[in-house]
Amino acid sequence: MAAHVATARSKARKRALDLLFASEARGLSAGELLDQQIAEGQVPNNPFTVKLVRGVVAETERIDALIAEFAKDWSLARMPAVDRNVLRIGVWELIDADVAAEVAISEATALVTELSTDDSPSFVNGVLSAVAKDLASKA
């Protein structure tokens, strides 16, 4: 497999992950944390970061239901926080359809390869692949 090249969108996904992860750790909504950072002049460089965070916040209930449905034997609460939030970003991208499913899955897998456990890439890939297949069957 070729090494992952960090594109502007890849960096935006990592920044969105940082915001989702930090908001969860602080007990804030990601939207609140994003608004707080923007108010303090810490505007994300790439508008795609804002789109990702706002999209995940707007669709959290649907996203979490899809993750729970396809994450066999893993509750959202039991997942590593990085995996949970990468899955949220990946599922939102699959729902939004602004990105090809293969790209959303590849980008999510690359994030957890870099930032999470050894088991995370295959887990995230499997969950997102199942969600993508389910969404495609309903399209």
Side-chain angles (χ1 to χ4, degrees):
M1 187 167 124
H4 182 75
V5 177
T7 65
R9 279 201 161 191
S10 298
K11 291 174 186 172
R13 286 179 185 92
K14 181 159 186 328
R15 179 77 178 110
L17 173 61
D18 292 344
L19 281 161
L20 291 169
F21 185 87
S23 68
E24 196 173 86
R26 295 179 192 176
L28 298 170
S29 99
E32 289 172 339
L33 181 60
L34 178 62
D35 291 341
Q36 185 181 73
Q37 289 189 353
I38 290 171
E40 294 170 359
Q42 299 175 35
V43 181
N45 293 336
N46 189 326
F48 189 57
T49 299
V50 175
K51 183 177 180 179
L52 286 168
V53 172
R54 298 236 188 267
V56 168
V57 169
E59 296 280 349
T60 297
E61 196 172 305
R62 180 178 178 200
I63 290 167
D64 285 356
L66 283 165
I67 294 169
E69 182 178 349
F70 293 102
K72 303 292 183 221
D73 303 320
W74 279 88
S75 68
L76 280 157
R78 203 172 136 225
M79 288 175 201
V82 170
D83 295 9
R84 179 174 49 250
N85 286 296
V86 167
L87 283 168
R88 286 174 173 152
I89 292 168
V91 170
W92 182 79
E93 287 193 276
L94 292 172
I95 292 169
D96 183 65
D98 182 33
V99 174
E102 298 79 18
V103 172
I105 294 166
S106 172
E107 290 285 332
T109 303
L111 270 174
V112 294
T113 298
E114 178 186 345
L115 301 169
S116 198
T117 71
D118 290 345
D119 295 330
S120 295
S122 59
F123 174 71
V124 166
N125 187 301
V127 172
L128 290 179
S129 294
V131 171
K133 185 176 178 184
D134 181 67
L135 292 171
S137 75
K138 295 175 181 173

